[in-house]
Amino acid sequence: MPAKNALVAVNGQSAELRLRSGTMGPDVLDIGLLYNQTRMFTYDPGFTSTASCESKITYIDGDEGVLLHRGYPIEQLAEHGDFLEVCYLLLYGELPTAAQKKDFDYRVTHHTMVHEQMSRFFTGFRRDAHPMAVMCGCVGALSAFYHDSTDITDPHQRMVASLRMIAKMPTLAAMAYKYHIGQPFVYPKNDLDYASNFLRMCFAVPCEEYVVNPVLARAMDRIFILHADHEQNASTSTVRLAGSSGANPFACIAAGIACLWGPAHGGANEAALNMLTEIGTVDHIPEYIARAKDKNDPFRLMGFGHRVYKNYDPRAKIMQKTTHEVLGELGIKDDPLLEVAMELERIALTDEYFIEKKLYPNIDFYSGITLKALGFPTTMFTVLFALARTVGWIAQWNEMIEDPEQRIGRPRQLYTGEPRREYVRAPHR
Ligand code: CMC
């Protein structure tokens, strides 16, 4: 049945607002004309009831714990696909044929090197700088290098910029890591797949042969798939907002990286592992659960809760399986952190507070343990998230530019400051 319009009457003014229906999910009330018709804004800090755009890329049903990319369930993509296939799907809207996949892999692979001068940017940072600080700077710096792919009105240039970012992020992330630990940069190797190449750039050293473990490479690839896109989250909305002004694409992605860094968003994987380490042993868990429930204590159980999921995050389930696979492959039998994590999850899932507030483990709860087992320090966790989310940011950025309704994003406000007053020069000024 076609959606009906809604009549809003307020303070003697009325407006007819169009109801719009998507293919799935709640209808939206198009308030675009509200101000013109009533001279009123809507107020929704945190955007809990606001759809900021129309999108065909990712669908989430938070109540049911469903995540679809272009209609395909994340479980099926993670089980049967590889990361570059998911990248293709997000960018082009369909899964690639074998020939398209081969061509896409080739195109991404042959953009993996960064301009040699990029390495000088790294040396400008202190070695103890957080790798996310380095990534914000270095990805932003890409905008100073690739001038032949920044005409955002040209679809071909947009695709070249997109492939460049997907290809160069692993190289830059690995460079950030190598710089952090004082080892020489390792150049990409084009006969390796995306995840294997990344592991090699992170963990190889010039004095030894590095052999990629295929089980760990598959786990890395799956972690990338799980983080590839997640609808209009804070960093994606940041990329869209930055891009809405027509800004340089590389600079827009740097803006997304800056937003992702926060502990309420991508920084939660680092914070979750730090929390598990701080809890240390199972007998300390009740103390932390009590703190999480205490209104006067700012402490939160990191890796729990989500703005959209009010059910188990489907990515967390796959992540938990991957964690066991990685620990099994590495022969880590009694990892104390995993023990704490599993007990914490068990307690939280049966605790009234967490049940009532629908706080379930999210993807960051298990990803930290896996990444630590793979050999990454906690400071790199959010960098890996940024690497994987780059394709989502770019797909959403492209979609926004192609959207005929796209205009510069310009929210309004409820002003609560001083009303107009006159400037009076103080005698002493
Ligand atoms: N531990 C304890 N209490 C919590 C938690 C938590 N992790 N998360 C939410 N709550 C409580 C919160 O205190 C509030 O209680 P009340 O209604 O009594 O005031 C209620 O649950 C709702 O919380 P909220 O902050 O209003 O919810 P939100 O949608 O604004 O925040 C969130 C979502 C993810 C920021 C939040 O759950 C959180 O801070 N979680 C920990 C950080 C984390 O794991 N973030 C990763 C998110 S998934 C990856 C990504 O998308 O980046």
Side-chain angles (χ1 to χ4, degrees), residues 46 48 227 230 233-235 259-260 262-269 271-272 275 288-289 291-295 297-310 313 315 353-354 356-365 385 389:
T48 49
H227 288 86
H230 213 225
N233 55 82
S235 58
C259 177
L260 187 75
H265 192 6
N269 52 15
M275 178 194 75
Y288 283 85
I289 294 269
R291 283 187 62 194
K293 293 195 229 171
D294 183 355
K295 282 256 161 278
D297 189 330
F299 174 78
R300 282 183 171 205
L301 278 192
M302 299 314 284
F304 276 82
H306 197 276
R307 169 61 64 78
V308 181
Y309 292 121
K310 301 302 168 199
D313 178 343
R315 302 167 303 168
Y353 174 92
F354 290 87
E356 191 220 313
K357 293 189 189 309
K358 300 192 166 124
L359 299 170
Y360 290 85
N362 58 51
I363 187 169
D364 294 319
F365 188 60
F385 192 158
R389 182 56 57 84

Coordinates of all heavy atoms in Angstrom, one line a residue, residues 46 48 227 230 233-235 259-260 262-269 271-272 275 288-289 291-295 297-310 313 315 353-354 356-365 385 389, ligand 1:
G46 N 22.1 13.7 18.2 CA 22.5 12.2 18.2 C 21.7 11.5 17.1 O 22.0 10.3 16.8
T48 N 18.8 10.2 16.6 CA 18.2 8.9 16.9 C 16.9 8.6 16.1 O 16.5 7.5 16.0 CB 17.9 8.8 18.4 OG1 17.1 10.0 18.8 CG2 19.1 8.7 19.3
H227 N 34.1 -5.4 9.0 CA 34.2 -3.9 9.3 C 33.9 -3.1 8.1 O 34.0 -1.8 8.1 CB 35.5 -3.6 9.8 CG 35.8 -4.0 11.2 ND1 36.2 -5.3 11.5 CD2 35.6 -3.4 12.4 CE1 36.4 -5.4 12.8 NE2 36.0 -4.3 13.4
H230 N 28.8 0.0 7.6 CA 27.8 -0.1 8.6 C 26.8 1.0 8.5 O 26.6 1.7 9.6 CB 28.5 -0.3 10.0 CG 27.7 -1.1 10.9 ND1 27.4 -0.8 12.2 CD2 27.1 -2.3 10.7 CE1 26.7 -1.8 12.8 NE2 26.5 -2.7 11.9
N233 N 26.7 5.4 10.2 CA 27.4 5.5 11.5 C 28.1 6.9 11.6 O 28.2 7.6 10.6 CB 28.3 4.4 11.8 CG 29.3 4.3 10.6 OD1 30.3 5.0 10.6 ND2 29.0 3.5 9.7
A234 N 28.7 7.2 12.7 CA 29.3 8.5 12.9 C 30.4 8.9 11.9 O 30.4 10.0 11.3 CB 29.8 8.7 14.3
S235 N 31.3 7.9 11.7 CA 32.4 8.3 10.7 C 31.9 8.3 9.3 O 32.3 9.2 8.5 CB 33.5 7.2 10.9 OG 33.0 5.9 10.6
C259 N 37.0 10.8 13.1 CA 35.8 10.5 13.8 C 35.8 9.0 14.4 O 35.4 8.8 15.5 CB 34.6 10.7 12.9 SG 33.0 10.3 13.7
L260 N 36.3 8.1 13.6 CA 36.3 6.7 14.0 C 37.2 6.5 15.2 O 37.0 5.6 16.0 CB 36.9 5.9 12.8 CG 36.9 4.4 13.0 CD1 35.5 3.8 12.8 CD2 37.8 3.6 12.1
G262 N 37.4 7.8 18.1 CA 36.8 7.9 19.4 C 36.4 6.6 20.1 O 36.0 5.7 19.3
P263 N 36.5 6.5 21.4 CA 36.2 5.2 22.1 C 34.7 4.8 22.0 O 34.4 3.6 22.2 CB 36.6 5.4 23.5 CG 36.6 6.9 23.7 CD 36.9 7.5 22.4
A264 N 33.8 5.7 21.7 CA 32.4 5.3 21.5 C 32.2 4.6 20.1 O 31.1 4.0 19.9 CB 31.5 6.5 21.7
H265 N 33.1 4.8 19.3 CA 33.0 4.3 17.9 C 34.1 3.3 17.6 O 34.3 2.3 18.4 CB 33.0 5.5 16.9 CG 32.6 5.3 15.5 ND1 32.1 4.1 15.1 CD2 32.7 6.1 14.4 CE1 31.9 4.2 13.8 NE2 32.2 5.4 13.4
G266 N 35.0 3.5 16.7 CA 36.0 2.5 16.3 C 37.1 2.3 17.4 O 37.7 1.2 17.5
G267 N 37.3 3.3 18.2 CA 38.3 3.2 19.3 C 37.9 2.2 20.4 O 38.6 1.9 21.3
A268 N 36.6 1.7 20.3 CA 36.1 0.7 21.3 C 36.9 -0.6 21.3 O 37.0 -1.3 22.3 CB 34.6 0.5 21.1
N269 N 37.4 -1.0 20.1 CA 38.1 -2.3 20.1 C 39.4 -2.2 21.0 O 39.7 -3.1 21.8 CB 38.4 -2.8 18.7 CG 39.1 -1.8 17.8 OD1 39.6 -0.8 18.3 ND2 39.1 -2.0 16.5
A271 N 39.8 0.0 23.5 CA 39.3 0.2 24.8 C 38.8 -1.1 25.4 O 39.0 -1.4 26.6 CB 38.2 1.2 24.8
A272 N 38.2 -2.0 24.6 CA 37.6 -3.2 25.1 C 38.8 -4.2 25.5 O 38.7 -4.8 26.6 CB 36.8 -3.9 24.0
M275 N 40.3 -2.9 28.7 CA 39.4 -3.2 29.8 C 39.5 -4.7 30.2 O 39.6 -5.0 31.4 CB 37.9 -3.0 29.4 CG 36.9 -3.3 30.5 SD 35.2 -3.3 29.8 CE 35.3 -4.9 28.9
Y288 N 33.5 -5.0 38.1 CA 33.3 -4.2 36.9 C 31.9 -4.1 36.4 O 31.4 -3.1 35.9 CB 34.3 -4.7 35.8 CG 35.7 -4.3 36.1 CD1 36.5 -5.0 36.9 CD2 36.2 -3.1 35.5 CE1 37.8 -4.7 37.2 CE2 37.5 -2.7 35.8 CZ 38.3 -3.5 36.6 OH 39.6 -3.1 36.9
I289 N 31.2 -5.2 36.6 CA 29.7 -5.2 36.3 C 29.0 -4.1 37.2 O 28.2 -3.3 36.7 CB 29.1 -6.6 36.5 CG1 29.7 -7.6 35.5 CG2 27.6 -6.5 36.4 CD1 29.0 -7.8 34.2
R291 N 30.3 -1.5 38.6 CA 30.7 -0.2 38.1 C 30.0 0.2 36.9 O 29.5 1.4 36.8 CB 32.2 -0.1 37.8 CG 33.1 -0.1 39.1 CD 34.5 0.1 38.7 NE 34.7 1.4 38.0 CZ 35.8 1.7 37.3 NH1 36.8 0.9 37.3 NH2 35.9 2.9 36.7
A292 N 29.8 -0.7 36.0 CA 29.1 -0.4 34.7 C 27.6 0.0 35.0 O 27.0 0.8 34.3 CB 29.1 -1.6 33.8
K293 N 27.1 -0.5 36.1 CA 25.7 -0.2 36.4 C 25.5 1.0 37.3 O 24.4 1.6 37.4 CB 25.1 -1.4 37.2 CG 24.9 -2.7 36.4 CD 24.0 -3.6 37.2 CE 24.6 -5.0 37.3 NZ 23.8 -5.8 38.2
D294 N 26.6 1.5 37.8 CA 26.5 2.6 38.8 C 26.4 3.9 38.0 O 27.3 4.3 37.2 CB 27.8 2.6 39.6 CG 27.8 3.7 40.6 OD1 26.9 4.5 40.6 OD2 28.8 3.7 41.5
K295 N 25.3 4.6 38.2 CA 25.0 5.9 37.5 C 26.1 6.9 37.8 O 26.3 7.8 36.9 CB 23.7 6.4 37.9 CG 22.5 5.8 37.3 CD 22.0 6.6 36.1 CE 21.1 5.9 35.1 NZ 21.8 5.2 34.1
D297 N 29.3 6.4 38.2 CA 30.6 6.0 37.7 C 30.5 6.1 36.2 O 29.7 5.4 35.5 CB 30.9 4.6 38.1 CG 32.3 4.1 37.9 OD1 32.9 4.6 36.9 OD2 32.8 3.3 38.6
P298 N 31.4 6.8 35.5 CA 31.4 7.0 34.1 C 31.8 5.7 33.3 O 31.6 5.6 32.1 CB 32.4 8.1 33.8 CG 33.3 8.1 35.0 CD 32.5 7.6 36.1
F299 N 32.3 4.7 34.1 CA 32.8 3.4 33.4 C 31.6 2.7 32.7 O 30.5 2.6 33.1 CB 33.3 2.5 34.5 CG 33.7 1.1 34.0 CD1 34.9 1.0 33.3 CD2 32.9 0.0 34.1 CE1 35.2 -0.3 32.8 CE2 33.2 -1.2 33.6 CZ 34.4 -1.4 32.9
R300 N 32.0 2.3 31.5 CA 31.0 1.4 30.7 C 31.7 0.2 30.3 O 32.9 0.2 30.1 CB 30.6 2.2 29.4 CG 29.6 3.2 29.7 CD 29.2 3.9 28.4 NE 28.0 4.7 28.7 CZ 27.1 5.1 27.9 NH1 27.2 4.8 26.6 NH2 26.1 5.9 28.3
L301 N 31.0 -0.9 30.1 CA 31.6 -2.1 29.6 C 31.9 -1.9 28.1 O 31.0 -1.8 27.3 CB 30.7 -3.3 29.8 CG 30.6 -4.0 31.1 CD1 29.8 -5.3 30.9 CD2 31.9 -4.2 31.7
M302 N 33.1 -1.8 27.8 CA 33.5 -1.5 26.4 C 33.2 -2.8 25.6 O 33.5 -3.9 26.0 CB 35.0 -1.1 26.3 CG 35.3 0.2 27.0 SD 34.1 1.5 26.8 CE 34.4 2.1 25.2
G303 N 32.7 -2.6 24.4 CA 32.4 -3.7 23.5 C 31.0 -4.2 23.8 O 30.6 -5.2 23.3
F304 N 30.2 -3.5 24.6 CA 28.8 -3.8 24.9 C 27.9 -2.6 24.5 O 28.3 -1.4 24.7 CB 28.6 -4.1 26.3 CG 28.9 -5.5 26.7 CD1 30.2 -5.9 27.0 CD2 27.9 -6.5 26.7 CE1 30.5 -7.2 27.3 CE2 28.2 -7.8 27.0 CZ 29.5 -8.2 27.3
G305 N 26.8 -2.9 23.9 CA 25.8 -1.9 23.6 C 26.1 -1.3 22.2 O 27.2 -1.4 21.6
H306 N 25.0 -0.9 21.6 CA 25.1 -0.3 20.2 C 23.9 0.6 20.0 O 22.8 0.3 20.5 CB 25.1 -1.4 19.2 CG 25.6 -1.0 17.9 ND1 24.8 -0.4 16.9 CD2 26.9 -1.0 17.3 CE1 25.5 -0.1 15.9 NE2 26.8 -0.4 16.1
R307 N 24.1 1.7 19.3 CA 23.0 2.6 19.0 C 21.9 1.9 18.2 O 20.7 2.1 18.5 CB 23.5 3.8 18.3 CG 22.4 4.7 17.7 CD 21.5 5.3 18.7 NE 22.2 6.2 19.6 CZ 22.6 7.5 19.4 NH1 22.3 8.0 18.2 NH2 23.2 8.2 20.2
V308 N 22.3 1.0 17.3 CA 21.3 0.4 16.4 C 20.9 -1.0 16.9 O 19.7 -1.3 16.9 CB 21.7 0.5 15.0 CG1 20.7 -0.1 14.1 CG2 22.1 1.9 14.5
Y309 N 21.9 -1.8 17.2 CA 21.6 -3.2 17.6 C 21.0 -3.3 19.0 O 21.7 -2.9 19.9 CB 22.8 -4.1 17.5 CG 23.4 -4.3 16.1 CD1 24.6 -3.9 15.8 CD2 22.6 -4.9 15.1 CE1 25.1 -4.1 14.5 CE2 23.1 -5.0 13.9 CZ 24.3 -4.6 13.6 OH 24.8 -4.8 12.3
K310 N 19.8 -3.8 19.1 CA 19.2 -4.0 20.4 C 19.1 -5.6 20.5 O 18.2 -6.1 21.1 CB 17.9 -3.3 20.6 CG 18.0 -1.8 20.4 CD 19.0 -1.2 21.4 CE 19.3 0.3 21.0 NZ 20.5 0.8 21.7
D313 N 24.9 -8.3 18.1 CA 25.5 -7.8 16.8 C 25.9 -9.0 16.0 O 26.7 -9.8 16.4 CB 26.7 -6.9 17.2 CG 27.5 -6.3 16.1 OD1 27.3 -6.8 14.9 OD2 28.3 -5.4 16.3
R315 N 27.8 -9.3 13.6 CA 29.3 -9.3 13.3 C 30.0 -10.0 14.5 O 31.1 -10.6 14.4 CB 29.8 -7.9 13.1 CG 29.1 -7.3 11.9 CD 29.4 -5.8 11.8 NE 29.0 -5.1 13.1 CZ 29.4 -3.9 13.4 NH1 30.1 -3.2 12.5 NH2 29.0 -3.3 14.5
Y353 N 20.2 -5.7 34.3 CA 20.5 -4.4 33.8 C 20.8 -4.4 32.3 O 20.2 -3.6 31.5 CB 21.8 -3.8 34.5 CG 22.3 -2.5 34.0 CD1 21.9 -1.3 34.6 CD2 23.2 -2.5 33.0 CE1 22.4 -0.1 34.1 CE2 23.8 -1.3 32.5 CZ 23.3 -0.1 33.1 OH 23.8 1.1 32.6
F354 N 21.6 -5.4 31.9 CA 22.0 -5.5 30.5 C 20.8 -6.0 29.6 O 20.7 -5.6 28.5 CB 23.2 -6.4 30.3 CG 24.5 -5.7 30.9 CD1 24.8 -5.8 32.2 CD2 25.3 -4.9 30.1 CE1 25.9 -5.2 32.8 CE2 26.4 -4.3 30.6 CZ 26.7 -4.4 31.9
E356 N 17.6 -5.6 30.3 CA 16.6 -4.5 30.2 C 17.0 -3.4 29.2 O 16.2 -2.9 28.4 CB 16.4 -3.9 31.6 CG 15.2 -3.0 31.7 CD 15.5 -1.8 32.6 OE1 16.1 -2.0 33.7 OE2 15.2 -0.7 32.1
K357 N 18.3 -3.1 29.2 CA 18.8 -2.0 28.3 C 19.2 -2.6 26.9 O 19.7 -1.9 26.1 CB 19.9 -1.3 28.9 CG 19.5 -0.5 30.2 CD 20.6 0.4 30.6 CE 20.4 1.0 32.0 NZ 19.1 1.8 32.1
K358 N 19.0 -3.9 26.8 CA 19.4 -4.6 25.5 C 20.8 -4.3 25.1 O 21.1 -3.9 24.0 CB 18.4 -4.1 24.4 CG 17.0 -4.4 24.7 CD 16.1 -4.3 23.5 CE 14.7 -4.9 23.7 NZ 13.6 -4.2 23.5
L359 N 21.7 -4.5 26.1 CA 23.1 -4.3 25.8 C 23.8 -5.7 25.5 O 24.0 -6.5 26.4 CB 23.8 -3.7 27.0 CG 23.2 -2.3 27.4 CD1 23.8 -1.8 28.7 CD2 23.6 -1.3 26.3
Y360 N 24.1 -5.9 24.3 CA 24.7 -7.1 23.8 C 26.1 -6.9 23.4 O 26.5 -5.7 23.1 CB 23.9 -7.7 22.6 CG 22.5 -8.2 23.0 CD1 21.5 -7.3 23.0 CD2 22.3 -9.6 23.3 CE1 20.2 -7.8 23.4 CE2 21.1 -10.0 23.6 CZ 20.0 -9.1 23.6 OH 18.8 -9.6 24.0
P361 N 26.9 -7.9 23.3 CA 28.3 -7.7 22.8 C 28.3 -7.2 21.4 O 27.4 -7.6 20.6 CB 29.0 -9.1 22.9 CG 28.1 -9.9 23.7 CD 26.7 -9.3 23.7
N362 N 29.1 -6.2 21.1 CA 29.2 -5.8 19.7 C 30.5 -6.3 19.1 O 31.3 -7.0 19.8 CB 29.1 -4.2 19.6 CG 30.2 -3.5 20.5 OD1 31.4 -3.8 20.3 ND2 29.8 -2.6 21.3
I363 N 30.8 -5.9 17.9 CA 31.9 -6.5 17.1 C 33.2 -6.3 17.9 O 34.1 -7.1 17.8 CB 32.0 -5.9 15.7 CG1 33.1 -6.7 14.9 CG2 32.2 -4.4 15.7 CD1 33.1 -6.4 13.5
D364 N 33.3 -5.1 18.6 CA 34.6 -4.8 19.2 C 34.9 -5.7 20.4 O 36.1 -5.7 20.9 CB 34.6 -3.3 19.6 CG 34.5 -2.4 18.4 OD1 35.2 -2.7 17.4 OD2 33.8 -1.4 18.4
F365 N 34.0 -6.4 20.9 CA 34.2 -7.2 22.1 C 35.2 -8.3 21.8 O 36.1 -8.6 22.6 CB 32.9 -7.7 22.6 CG 33.0 -8.4 23.9 CD1 33.5 -7.7 25.0 CD2 32.7 -9.7 24.1 CE1 33.6 -8.3 26.2 CE2 32.9 -10.4 25.3 CZ 33.3 -9.6 26.4
F385 N 40.5 -1.1 11.8 CA 39.1 -0.8 11.5 C 39.0 0.2 10.4 O 38.2 0.1 9.5 CB 38.5 -0.3 12.9 CG 37.0 -0.2 12.9 CD1 36.3 -0.2 14.2 CD2 36.2 0.0 11.8 CE1 35.0 0.0 14.3 CE2 34.8 0.1 11.9 CZ 34.2 0.1 13.1
R389 N 37.1 -0.1 6.9 CA 35.9 0.8 6.7 C 36.1 1.8 5.5 O 35.1 2.3 5.0 CB 35.6 1.5 8.0 CG 34.4 2.4 8.0 CD 33.1 1.7 7.6 NE 32.7 0.6 8.4 CZ 32.1 0.6 9.6 NH1 31.7 1.8 10.1 NH2 31.8 -0.5 10.3
Ligands
CMC1 N1 28.0 -0.3 29.7 C1 27.1 0.1 30.6 N2 26.0 0.8 30.4 C2 25.7 1.1 29.1 C3 26.6 0.7 28.0 C4 27.8 0.0 28.4 N3 28.6 -0.4 27.4 N4 26.2 1.2 26.9 C5 25.0 1.8 27.1 N5 24.8 1.8 28.5 C6 23.6 2.3 29.2 C7 23.7 3.8 29.3 O1 24.3 4.2 30.6 C8 22.3 4.2 29.2 O2 21.6 4.0 30.5 P1 20.4 4.9 31.0 O3 19.3 4.8 30.0 O4 20.1 4.4 32.3 O5 21.0 6.3 31.0 C9 21.6 3.2 28.2 O6 22.5 2.1 28.3 C10 21.6 3.7 26.8 O7 22.9 4.2 26.5 P2 23.2 5.4 25.5 O8 24.6 5.9 25.8 O9 22.1 6.4 25.6 O10 23.2 4.7 24.1 P3 23.8 5.2 22.8 O11 23.0 4.6 21.7 O12 23.9 6.7 22.8 O13 25.3 4.7 22.8 C11 27.2 3.3 22.5 C12 25.7 3.5 22.1 C13 27.8 2.2 21.6 C14 28.0 4.5 22.3 C15 27.2 2.8 24.0 O14 26.5 1.6 24.1 C16 28.7 2.6 24.5 O15 29.3 3.6 25.0 N6 29.2 1.4 24.4 C17 30.6 1.1 24.8 C18 31.5 1.5 23.6 C19 31.4 0.6 22.5 O16 31.5 -0.6 22.7 N7 31.3 1.1 21.3 C20 31.4 0.3 20.0 C21 30.2 0.4 19.2 S1 30.2 -0.9 17.9 C22 31.4 -0.4 16.8 C23 31.1 0.9 16.1 O17 30.0 1.1 15.5 O18 32.0 1.8 16.1

